PDB file of all heavy atoms in Angstrom:
ATOM      1  N   ASP A 246       3.061  15.314 -21.654  1.00  0.00           N
ATOM      2  CA  ASP A 246       4.118  16.299 -21.370  1.00  0.00           C
ATOM      3  C   ASP A 246       4.391  17.192 -22.578  1.00  0.00           C
ATOM      4  O   ASP A 246       5.335  17.969 -22.575  1.00  0.00           O
ATOM      5  CB  ASP A 246       5.401  15.597 -20.944  1.00  0.00           C
ATOM      6  CG  ASP A 246       5.954  14.701 -22.044  1.00  0.00           C
ATOM      7  OD1 ASP A 246       5.216  14.422 -23.009  1.00  0.00           O
ATOM      8  OD2 ASP A 246       7.118  14.277 -21.944  1.00  0.00           O
ATOM      9  N   GLY A 247       3.572  17.046 -23.619  1.00  0.00           N
ATOM     10  CA  GLY A 247       3.721  17.923 -24.775  1.00  0.00           C
ATOM     11  C   GLY A 247       4.695  17.423 -25.825  1.00  0.00           C
ATOM     12  O   GLY A 247       4.932  18.097 -26.827  1.00  0.00           O
ATOM     13  N   LYS A 248       5.252  16.237 -25.604  1.00  0.00           N
ATOM     14  CA  LYS A 248       6.142  15.679 -26.620  1.00  0.00           C
ATOM     15  C   LYS A 248       5.362  14.745 -27.552  1.00  0.00           C
ATOM     16  O   LYS A 248       4.424  14.065 -27.144  1.00  0.00           O
ATOM     17  CB  LYS A 248       7.305  14.931 -25.956  1.00  0.00           C
ATOM     18  CG  LYS A 248       8.356  15.884 -25.379  1.00  0.00           C
ATOM     19  CD  LYS A 248       9.340  15.171 -24.468  1.00  0.00           C
ATOM     20  CE  LYS A 248      10.450  14.467 -25.242  1.00  0.00           C
ATOM     21  NZ  LYS A 248      11.447  13.895 -24.301  1.00  0.00           N
ATOM     22  N   ALA A 249       5.785  14.744 -28.808  1.00  0.00           N
ATOM     23  CA  ALA A 249       5.139  13.877 -29.792  1.00  0.00           C
ATOM     24  C   ALA A 249       5.735  12.482 -29.723  1.00  0.00           C
ATOM     25  O   ALA A 249       6.875  12.302 -29.269  1.00  0.00           O
ATOM     26  CB  ALA A 249       5.323  14.451 -31.188  1.00  0.00           C
ATOM     27  N   LEU A 250       4.943  11.493 -30.123  1.00  0.00           N
ATOM     28  CA  LEU A 250       5.452  10.125 -30.188  1.00  0.00           C
ATOM     29  C   LEU A 250       5.010   9.498 -31.517  1.00  0.00           C
ATOM     30  O   LEU A 250       3.822   9.379 -31.787  1.00  0.00           O
ATOM     31  CB  LEU A 250       4.949   9.311 -28.992  1.00  0.00           C
ATOM     32  CG  LEU A 250       5.645   7.962 -28.784  1.00  0.00           C
ATOM     33  CD1 LEU A 250       5.767   7.638 -27.302  1.00  0.00           C
ATOM     34  CD2 LEU A 250       4.947   6.830 -29.495  1.00  0.00           C
ATOM     35  N   GLN A 251       5.997   9.146 -32.322  1.00  0.00           N
ATOM     36  CA  GLN A 251       5.717   8.439 -33.586  1.00  0.00           C
ATOM     37  C   GLN A 251       5.198   7.054 -33.240  1.00  0.00           C
ATOM     38  O   GLN A 251       5.870   6.282 -32.576  1.00  0.00           O
ATOM     39  CB  GLN A 251       7.005   8.356 -34.401  1.00  0.00           C
ATOM     40  CG  GLN A 251       6.888   7.545 -35.666  1.00  0.00           C
ATOM     41  CD  GLN A 251       8.239   7.461 -36.389  1.00  0.00           C
ATOM     42  OE1 GLN A 251       8.894   8.457 -36.643  1.00  0.00           O
ATOM     43  NE2 GLN A 251       8.660   6.250 -36.686  1.00  0.00           N
ATOM     44  N   SER A 252       3.973   6.750 -33.683  1.00  0.00           N
ATOM     45  CA  SER A 252       3.304   5.557 -33.157  1.00  0.00           C
ATOM     46  C   SER A 252       3.178   4.417 -34.155  1.00  0.00           C
ATOM     47  O   SER A 252       2.838   3.298 -33.784  1.00  0.00           O
ATOM     48  CB  SER A 252       1.913   5.934 -32.650  1.00  0.00           C
ATOM     49  OG  SER A 252       2.033   6.949 -31.676  1.00  0.00           O
ATOM     50  N   GLY A 253       3.429   4.716 -35.416  1.00  0.00           N
ATOM     51  CA  GLY A 253       3.365   3.664 -36.422  1.00  0.00           C
ATOM     52  C   GLY A 253       3.785   4.268 -37.739  1.00  0.00           C
ATOM     53  O   GLY A 253       3.545   5.452 -37.983  1.00  0.00           O
ATOM     54  N   THR A 254       4.459   3.472 -38.567  1.00  0.00           N
ATOM     55  CA  THR A 254       4.860   4.004 -39.865  1.00  0.00           C
ATOM     56  C   THR A 254       4.563   2.988 -40.959  1.00  0.00           C
ATOM     57  O   THR A 254       4.563   1.771 -40.726  1.00  0.00           O
ATOM     58  CB  THR A 254       6.377   4.327 -39.905  1.00  0.00           C
ATOM     59  OG1 THR A 254       7.097   3.218 -39.378  1.00  0.00           O
ATOM     60  CG2 THR A 254       6.700   5.576 -39.104  1.00  0.00           C
ATOM     61  N   SER A 255       4.285   3.520 -42.144  1.00  0.00           N
ATOM     62  CA  SER A 255       3.999   2.696 -43.308  1.00  0.00           C
ATOM     63  C   SER A 255       4.813   3.275 -44.460  1.00  0.00           C
ATOM     64  O   SER A 255       4.735   4.472 -44.743  1.00  0.00           O
ATOM     65  CB  SER A 255       2.494   2.754 -43.600  1.00  0.00           C
ATOM     66  OG  SER A 255       2.182   1.956 -44.711  1.00  0.00           O
ATOM     67  N   HIS A 256       5.640   2.425 -45.065  1.00  0.00           N
ATOM     68  CA  HIS A 256       6.587   2.922 -46.062  1.00  0.00           C
ATOM     69  C   HIS A 256       6.230   2.470 -47.469  1.00  0.00           C
ATOM     70  O   HIS A 256       5.988   1.287 -47.711  1.00  0.00           O
ATOM     71  CB  HIS A 256       7.997   2.406 -45.749  1.00  0.00           C
ATOM     72  CG  HIS A 256       8.362   2.504 -44.304  1.00  0.00           C
ATOM     73  ND1 HIS A 256       8.496   3.703 -43.653  1.00  0.00           N
ATOM     74  CD2 HIS A 256       8.586   1.546 -43.364  1.00  0.00           C
ATOM     75  CE1 HIS A 256       8.808   3.482 -42.385  1.00  0.00           C
ATOM     76  NE2 HIS A 256       8.851   2.183 -42.181  1.00  0.00           N
ATOM     77  N   PHE A 257       6.237   3.427 -48.383  1.00  0.00           N
ATOM     78  CA  PHE A 257       6.227   3.082 -49.809  1.00  0.00           C
ATOM     79  C   PHE A 257       7.692   2.975 -50.215  1.00  0.00           C
ATOM     80  O   PHE A 257       8.429   3.959 -50.147  1.00  0.00           O
ATOM     81  CB  PHE A 257       5.489   4.157 -50.606  1.00  0.00           C
ATOM     82  CG  PHE A 257       5.679   4.019 -52.082  1.00  0.00           C
ATOM     83  CD1 PHE A 257       5.279   2.859 -52.747  1.00  0.00           C
ATOM     84  CD2 PHE A 257       6.275   5.040 -52.824  1.00  0.00           C
ATOM     85  CE1 PHE A 257       5.478   2.722 -54.113  1.00  0.00           C
ATOM     86  CE2 PHE A 257       6.466   4.905 -54.199  1.00  0.00           C
ATOM     87  CZ  PHE A 257       6.066   3.750 -54.843  1.00  0.00           C
ATOM     88  N   LEU A 258       8.110   1.748 -50.576  1.00  0.00           N
ATOM     89  CA  LEU A 258       9.534   1.492 -50.807  1.00  0.00           C
ATOM     90  C   LEU A 258       9.923   1.608 -52.270  1.00  0.00           C
ATOM     91  O   LEU A 258      11.085   1.374 -52.621  1.00  0.00           O
ATOM     92  CB  LEU A 258       9.900   0.093 -50.287  1.00  0.00           C
ATOM     93  CG  LEU A 258       9.632  -0.172 -48.795  1.00  0.00           C
ATOM     94  CD1 LEU A 258       9.873  -1.640 -48.453  1.00  0.00           C
ATOM     95  CD2 LEU A 258      10.499   0.716 -47.903  1.00  0.00           C
ATOM     96  N   GLY A 259       8.973   1.965 -53.123  1.00  0.00           N
ATOM     97  CA  GLY A 259       9.265   2.028 -54.552  1.00  0.00           C
ATOM     98  C   GLY A 259       9.789   0.695 -55.050  1.00  0.00           C
ATOM     99  O   GLY A 259       9.269  -0.363 -54.658  1.00  0.00           O
ATOM    100  N   GLN A 260      10.815   0.733 -55.897  1.00  0.00           N
ATOM    101  CA  GLN A 260      11.432  -0.513 -56.385  1.00  0.00           C
ATOM    102  C   GLN A 260      12.816  -0.699 -55.758  1.00  0.00           C
ATOM    103  O   GLN A 260      13.604  -1.517 -56.231  1.00  0.00           O
ATOM    104  CB  GLN A 260      11.536  -0.453 -57.914  1.00  0.00           C
ATOM    105  CG  GLN A 260      10.164  -0.380 -58.607  1.00  0.00           C
ATOM    106  CD  GLN A 260      10.301  -0.145 -60.106  1.00  0.00           C
ATOM    107  OE1 GLN A 260      11.044   0.738 -60.536  1.00  0.00           O
ATOM    108  NE2 GLN A 260       9.578  -0.928 -60.899  1.00  0.00           N
ATOM    109  N   ASN A 261      13.069   0.009 -54.679  1.00  0.00           N
ATOM    110  CA  ASN A 261      14.425  -0.001 -54.107  1.00  0.00           C
ATOM    111  C   ASN A 261      14.900  -1.391 -53.706  1.00  0.00           C
ATOM    112  O   ASN A 261      16.013  -1.802 -54.037  1.00  0.00           O
ATOM    113  CB  ASN A 261      14.498   0.925 -52.885  1.00  0.00           C
ATOM    114  CG  ASN A 261      14.364   2.393 -53.276  1.00  0.00           C
ATOM    115  OD1 ASN A 261      14.389   2.726 -54.461  1.00  0.00           O
ATOM    116  ND2 ASN A 261      14.197   3.267 -52.293  1.00  0.00           N
ATOM    117  N   PHE A 262      14.046  -2.127 -52.981  1.00  0.00           N
ATOM    118  CA  PHE A 262      14.483  -3.455 -52.540  1.00  0.00           C
ATOM    119  C   PHE A 262      14.391  -4.472 -53.665  1.00  0.00           C
ATOM    120  O   PHE A 262      15.181  -5.414 -53.724  1.00  0.00           O
ATOM    121  CB  PHE A 262      13.717  -3.882 -51.285  1.00  0.00           C
ATOM    122  CG  PHE A 262      14.171  -3.125 -50.067  1.00  0.00           C
ATOM    123  CD1 PHE A 262      13.572  -1.931 -49.690  1.00  0.00           C
ATOM    124  CD2 PHE A 262      15.254  -3.577 -49.326  1.00  0.00           C
ATOM    125  CE1 PHE A 262      14.020  -1.205 -48.596  1.00  0.00           C
ATOM    126  CE2 PHE A 262      15.725  -2.861 -48.234  1.00  0.00           C
ATOM    127  CZ  PHE A 262      15.103  -1.669 -47.863  1.00  0.00           C
ATOM    128  N   ALA A 263      13.429  -4.295 -54.564  1.00  0.00           N
ATOM    129  CA  ALA A 263      13.344  -5.187 -55.723  1.00  0.00           C
ATOM    130  C   ALA A 263      14.621  -5.067 -56.558  1.00  0.00           C
ATOM    131  O   ALA A 263      15.167  -6.067 -57.035  1.00  0.00           O
ATOM    132  CB  ALA A 263      12.116  -4.846 -56.556  1.00  0.00           C
ATOM    133  N   LYS A 264      15.111  -3.848 -56.704  1.00  0.00           N
ATOM    134  CA  LYS A 264      16.344  -3.663 -57.468  1.00  0.00           C
ATOM    135  C   LYS A 264      17.554  -4.207 -56.708  1.00  0.00           C
ATOM    136  O   LYS A 264      18.421  -4.861 -57.287  1.00  0.00           O
ATOM    137  CB  LYS A 264      16.539  -2.183 -57.808  1.00  0.00           C
ATOM    138  CG  LYS A 264      15.604  -1.737 -58.940  1.00  0.00           C
ATOM    139  CD  LYS A 264      15.756  -0.258 -59.276  1.00  0.00           C
ATOM    140  CE  LYS A 264      14.778   0.100 -60.420  1.00  0.00           C
ATOM    141  NZ  LYS A 264      14.618   1.561 -60.584  1.00  0.00           N
ATOM    142  N   ALA A 265      17.589  -3.971 -55.412  1.00  0.00           N
ATOM    143  CA  ALA A 265      18.719  -4.450 -54.609  1.00  0.00           C
ATOM    144  C   ALA A 265      18.812  -5.976 -54.633  1.00  0.00           C
ATOM    145  O   ALA A 265      19.898  -6.546 -54.608  1.00  0.00           O
ATOM    146  CB  ALA A 265      18.587  -3.956 -53.176  1.00  0.00           C
ATOM    147  N   PHE A 266      17.638  -6.652 -54.693  1.00  0.00           N
ATOM    148  CA  PHE A 266      17.640  -8.120 -54.669  1.00  0.00           C
ATOM    149  C   PHE A 266      17.200  -8.730 -56.000  1.00  0.00           C
ATOM    150  O   PHE A 266      16.907  -9.906 -56.076  1.00  0.00           O
ATOM    151  CB  PHE A 266      16.787  -8.632 -53.496  1.00  0.00           C
ATOM    152  CG  PHE A 266      17.448  -8.367 -52.175  1.00  0.00           C
ATOM    153  CD1 PHE A 266      17.243  -7.174 -51.496  1.00  0.00           C
ATOM    154  CD2 PHE A 266      18.336  -9.286 -51.635  1.00  0.00           C
ATOM    155  CE1 PHE A 266      17.886  -6.902 -50.300  1.00  0.00           C
ATOM    156  CE2 PHE A 266      18.994  -9.032 -50.439  1.00  0.00           C
ATOM    157  CZ  PHE A 266      18.775  -7.829 -49.767  1.00  0.00           C
ATOM    158  N   ASP A 267      17.156  -7.886 -57.018  1.00  0.00           N
ATOM    159  CA  ASP A 267      16.837  -8.323 -58.381  1.00  0.00           C
ATOM    160  C   ASP A 267      15.532  -9.127 -58.447  1.00  0.00           C
ATOM    161  O   ASP A 267      15.516 -10.271 -58.897  1.00  0.00           O
ATOM    162  CB  ASP A 267      18.002  -9.145 -58.950  1.00  0.00           C
ATOM    163  CG  ASP A 267      17.833  -9.358 -60.443  1.00  0.00           C
ATOM    164  OD1 ASP A 267      17.167  -8.519 -61.101  1.00  0.00           O
ATOM    165  OD2 ASP A 267      18.328 -10.383 -60.958  1.00  0.00           O
ATOM    166  N   VAL A 268      14.468  -8.538 -57.977  1.00  0.00           N
ATOM    167  CA  VAL A 268      13.165  -9.209 -58.015  1.00  0.00           C
ATOM    168  C   VAL A 268      12.320  -8.601 -59.129  1.00  0.00           C
ATOM    169  O   VAL A 268      11.791  -7.497 -59.010  1.00  0.00           O
ATOM    170  CB  VAL A 268      12.432  -9.080 -56.668  1.00  0.00           C
ATOM    171  CG1 VAL A 268      11.174  -9.946 -56.671  1.00  0.00           C
ATOM    172  CG2 VAL A 268      13.343  -9.458 -55.515  1.00  0.00           C
ATOM    173  N   GLN A 269      12.231  -9.342 -60.241  1.00  0.00           N
ATOM    174  CA  GLN A 269      11.465  -8.876 -61.388  1.00  0.00           C
ATOM    175  C   GLN A 269      10.336  -9.850 -61.675  1.00  0.00           C
ATOM    176  O   GLN A 269      10.400 -11.009 -61.286  1.00  0.00           O
ATOM    177  CB  GLN A 269      12.369  -8.762 -62.610  1.00  0.00           C
ATOM    178  CG  GLN A 269      13.514  -7.785 -62.411  1.00  0.00           C
ATOM    179  CD  GLN A 269      14.310  -7.566 -63.688  1.00  0.00           C
ATOM    180  OE1 GLN A 269      13.804  -6.997 -64.646  1.00  0.00           O
ATOM    181  NE2 GLN A 269      15.540  -8.037 -63.712  1.00  0.00           N
ATOM    182  N   PHE A 270       9.320  -9.356 -62.359  1.00  0.00           N
ATOM    183  CA  PHE A 270       8.202 -10.233 -62.724  1.00  0.00           C
ATOM    184  C   PHE A 270       7.806  -9.999 -64.178  1.00  0.00           C
ATOM    185  O   PHE A 270       8.011  -8.918 -64.728  1.00  0.00           O
ATOM    186  CB  PHE A 270       7.006  -9.999 -61.798  1.00  0.00           C
ATOM    187  CG  PHE A 270       6.278  -8.710 -62.054  1.00  0.00           C
ATOM    188  CD1 PHE A 270       5.084  -8.695 -62.781  1.00  0.00           C
ATOM    189  CD2 PHE A 270       6.780  -7.500 -61.580  1.00  0.00           C
ATOM    190  CE1 PHE A 270       4.409  -7.500 -63.026  1.00  0.00           C
ATOM    191  CE2 PHE A 270       6.116  -6.307 -61.817  1.00  0.00           C
ATOM    192  CZ  PHE A 270       4.922  -6.306 -62.537  1.00  0.00           C
ATOM    193  N   LEU A 271       7.258 -11.059 -64.756  1.00  0.00           N
ATOM    194  CA  LEU A 271       6.787 -11.011 -66.127  1.00  0.00           C
ATOM    195  C   LEU A 271       5.341 -10.529 -66.101  1.00  0.00           C
ATOM    196  O   LEU A 271       4.472 -11.173 -65.516  1.00  0.00           O
ATOM    197  CB  LEU A 271       6.870 -12.417 -66.732  1.00  0.00           C
ATOM    198  CG  LEU A 271       7.123 -12.539 -68.223  1.00  0.00           C
ATOM    199  CD1 LEU A 271       8.388 -11.804 -68.635  1.00  0.00           C
ATOM    200  CD2 LEU A 271       7.205 -14.010 -68.605  1.00  0.00           C
ATOM    201  N   ASP A 272       5.092  -9.399 -66.732  1.00  0.00           N
ATOM    202  CA  ASP A 272       3.749  -8.814 -66.713  1.00  0.00           C
ATOM    203  C   ASP A 272       2.876  -9.453 -67.792  1.00  0.00           C
ATOM    204  O   ASP A 272       3.338 -10.256 -68.592  1.00  0.00           O
ATOM    205  CB  ASP A 272       3.859  -7.299 -66.900  1.00  0.00           C
ATOM    206  CG  ASP A 272       2.765  -6.573 -66.124  1.00  0.00           C
ATOM    207  OD1 ASP A 272       1.737  -7.223 -65.808  1.00  0.00           O
ATOM    208  OD2 ASP A 272       2.938  -5.378 -65.843  1.00  0.00           O
ATOM    209  N   LYS A 273       1.584  -9.107 -67.785  1.00  0.00           N
ATOM    210  CA  LYS A 273       0.636  -9.656 -68.760  1.00  0.00           C
ATOM    211  C   LYS A 273       1.107  -9.454 -70.199  1.00  0.00           C
ATOM    212  O   LYS A 273       0.851 -10.273 -71.064  1.00  0.00           O
ATOM    213  CB  LYS A 273      -0.744  -8.998 -68.580  1.00  0.00           C
ATOM    214  CG  LYS A 273      -1.514  -9.551 -67.396  1.00  0.00           C
ATOM    215  CD  LYS A 273      -2.849  -8.841 -67.199  1.00  0.00           C
ATOM    216  CE  LYS A 273      -3.520  -9.341 -65.921  1.00  0.00           C
ATOM    217  NZ  LYS A 273      -4.588  -8.475 -65.441  1.00  0.00           N
ATOM    218  N   ASP A 274       1.769  -8.342 -70.428  1.00  0.00           N
ATOM    219  CA  ASP A 274       2.233  -8.026 -71.783  1.00  0.00           C
ATOM    220  C   ASP A 274       3.619  -8.601 -72.057  1.00  0.00           C
ATOM    221  O   ASP A 274       4.291  -8.194 -73.006  1.00  0.00           O
ATOM    222  CB  ASP A 274       2.242  -6.510 -71.987  1.00  0.00           C
ATOM    223  CG  ASP A 274       3.238  -5.824 -71.047  1.00  0.00           C
ATOM    224  OD1 ASP A 274       3.927  -6.533 -70.268  1.00  0.00           O
ATOM    225  OD2 ASP A 274       3.325  -4.580 -71.065  1.00  0.00           O
ATOM    226  N   ASN A 275       4.047  -9.560 -71.170  1.00  0.00           N
ATOM    227  CA  ASN A 275       5.330 -10.244 -71.371  1.00  0.00           C
ATOM    228  C   ASN A 275       6.563  -9.380 -71.128  1.00  0.00           C
ATOM    229  O   ASN A 275       7.663  -9.766 -71.486  1.00  0.00           O
ATOM    230  CB  ASN A 275       5.404 -10.845 -72.778  1.00  0.00           C
ATOM    231  CG  ASN A 275       5.452 -12.359 -72.683  1.00  0.00           C
ATOM    232  OD1 ASN A 275       5.278 -12.926 -71.598  1.00  0.00           O
ATOM    233  ND2 ASN A 275       5.710 -13.010 -73.797  1.00  0.00           N
ATOM    234  N   SER A 276       6.367  -8.200 -70.538  1.00  0.00           N
ATOM    235  CA  SER A 276       7.520  -7.354 -70.229  1.00  0.00           C
ATOM    236  C   SER A 276       8.000  -7.662 -68.814  1.00  0.00           C
ATOM    237  O   SER A 276       7.216  -8.074 -67.958  1.00  0.00           O
ATOM    238  CB  SER A 276       7.141  -5.882 -70.342  1.00  0.00           C
ATOM    239  OG  SER A 276       6.212  -5.555 -69.325  1.00  0.00           O
ATOM    240  N   LEU A 277       9.300  -7.458 -68.595  1.00  0.00           N
ATOM    241  CA  LEU A 277       9.904  -7.726 -67.296  1.00  0.00           C
ATOM    242  C   LEU A 277      10.021  -6.415 -66.513  1.00  0.00           C
ATOM    243  O   LEU A 277      10.570  -5.437 -67.024  1.00  0.00           O
ATOM    244  CB  LEU A 277      11.297  -8.327 -67.531  1.00  0.00           C
ATOM    245  CG  LEU A 277      11.870  -9.310 -66.516  1.00  0.00           C
ATOM    246  CD1 LEU A 277      10.942 -10.483 -66.259  1.00  0.00           C
ATOM    247  CD2 LEU A 277      13.226  -9.825 -67.024  1.00  0.00           C
TER     248      LEU A 277
END
Side-chain angles (χ1 to χ4, degrees):
Chain A
D246 62 346
K248 284 168 82 175
L250 192 145
Q251 175 183 309
S252 303
T254 48
S255 181
H256 316 295
F257 168 60
L258 302 173
Q260 297 173 312
N261 291 351
F262 287 90
K264 285 179 180 166
F266 289 88
D267 192 26
V268 188
Q269 300 186 67
F270 73 101
L271 210 56
D272 213 339
K273 283 177 185 163
D274 64 1
N275 246 8
S276 67
L277 210 55

